Amino acid sequence: MTSSSRLFVCALATGAALTLTAPAKADLLPHKDLSLATALTIAATAAETCKGQGYRVSVAVVGRNGEIILHMRGDDASPHTMENSQRKAYTSRTFRVPSGEIAQRLKDNRHCRLCI
């Protein structure tokens, strides 16, 4: 096979591959992610609200897959609040309900060991 023939076959194969992959783009799912600015606003609001109510907390903001976008420890918050805030945010995200509802569900279920 001559070099020009090989070049033609390669170009033809590349064109066919591109033609076959074009419809795959139509199958991508659109999604939105939290920006850092939005995560900062959420975290600051949550931290100030809790501080105003007399709680010393840490705040975690997670993305759609439960990955931490922002994590901050409040003034005088105990060290364990960092892990607890991440777990609470992750649980809230995976159950797709506000974190306050998770806490209320645990309080309402008196047979749950987590409530003790």
Side-chain angles (χ1 to χ4, degrees):
M1 188 181 269
T2 66
S3 63
S4 62
S5 298
R6 281 187 242 160
L7 183 61
F8 175 74
V9 171
C10 183
L12 186 63
T14 302
L18 289 174
T19 302
L20 294 175
T21 59
K25 290 183 181 178
D27 295 338
L28 296 177
L29 299 174
H31 66 273
K32 295 180 181 178
D33 291 314
L34 285 176
S35 67
L36 178 59
T38 302
L40 282 166
T41 300
I42 291 168
T45 302
E48 287 302 315
T49 300
C50 290
K51 184 177 180 181
Q53 295 173 359
Y55 297 106
R56 294 172 295 181
V57 299
S58 293
V59 178
V61 179
V62 297
R64 91 166 25 86
N65 296 320
E67 76 282 6
I68 295 174
I69 295 175
L70 180 73
H71 208 183
M72 58 189 216
R73 183 173 164 211
D75 296 335
D76 297 323
S78 301
H80 70 278
T81 61
M82 288 295 284
E83 182 178 349
N84 290 346
S85 66
Q86 188 274 329
R87 288 180 177 209
K88 185 176 178 184
Y90 179 83
T91 302
S92 175
R93 175 61 192 117
T94 56
F95 279 95
R96 296 183 176 174
V97 296
S99 61
E101 188 174 323
I102 295 289
Q104 191 59 47
R105 285 181 186 183
L106 291 173
K107 287 179 185 176
D108 292 345
N109 185 357
R110 297 293 178 212
H111 301 291
C112 174
R113 287 184 176 209
L114 297 174
C115 303
I116 298 173

